[in-house]
Amino acid sequence: MVTKSDNKLPSAQVDDSKRRSGPEKDSLELSAKAQALLASIEESARPKELAAAFPRIVDRMASLWKTPPQMNRYFEQLLTDSRGVVRKGFSLGILMELTTLKDYYQTKFPTQHNVWDSAEDAEGHKF
């Protein structure tokens, strides 16, 4: 009786932590631009826990703050799990800070709609 041998080598387990580079210094400290942004936000909406735990997120916000479409998109990315993988997620405190900050942001930079946002056809369907 002839048996077919499997010539596959056993798969080696790979430690993904060795593939990742360590956090960069810039991602561990708030930039001057991020510090200025935090100072400009009203105390009640200032994300202190977020800034302490995730300075890179506040740095990114500082670069997007004056471009509402991009900033709103970033808020959605932070507040919505769209990766399709199980993630730890933010603590409740940080989640609440993000939600408060998003509400604050939208009062400072209201979303501007264009003419097509409210357009409907004759049957009431939105375009």
Side-chain angles (χ1 to χ4, degrees):
M1 178 176 189
V2 178
T3 60
K4 187 176 180 182
S5 68
D6 192 1
N7 291 332
K8 294 181 184 175
L9 296 174
S11 62
Q13 290 187 343
V14 177
D15 183 4
D16 285 334
S17 66
K18 292 182 180 173
R19 288 184 179 188
R20 295 184 195 126
S21 59
E24 295 179 23
K25 181 180 183 280
D26 293 344
S27 67
L28 298 175
E29 298 175 6
L30 287 172
S31 66
K33 191 173 183 180
Q35 291 175 16
L37 172 65
L38 288 174
S40 74
I41 296 171
E42 291 175 15
E43 181 74 24
S44 62
R46 194 172 301 150
K48 297 175 194 109
E49 193 176 333
L50 175 70
F54 300 100
R56 64 183 165 73
I57 291 176
V58 180
D59 285 344
R60 178 85 172 125
M61 287 178 170
S63 69
L64 299 174
W65 194 258
K66 301 234 171 154
T67 54
Q70 293 169 341
M71 188 64 217
N72 286 323
R73 201 171 310 121
Y74 192 53
F75 275 125
E76 289 307 313
Q77 290 171 357
L78 292 169
L79 293 168
T80 307
D81 182 5
S82 60
R83 290 190 200 175
V85 295
V86 177
R87 295 175 15 189
K88 183 178 175 183
F90 295 117
S91 69
L92 181 59
I94 290 177
L95 191 58
M96 290 173 60
E97 281 186 347
L98 281 168
T99 303
T100 300
L101 183 60
K102 180 181 178 188
D103 292 343
Y104 170 83
Y105 183 80
Q106 290 177 340
T107 63
K108 298 294 179 187
F109 298 93
T111 305
Q112 297 185 2
H113 300 283
N114 65 38
V115 68
W116 296 106
D117 290 338
S118 59
E120 296 178 354
D121 64 13
E123 296 171 352
H125 299 101
K126 291 204 177 271
F127 288 100

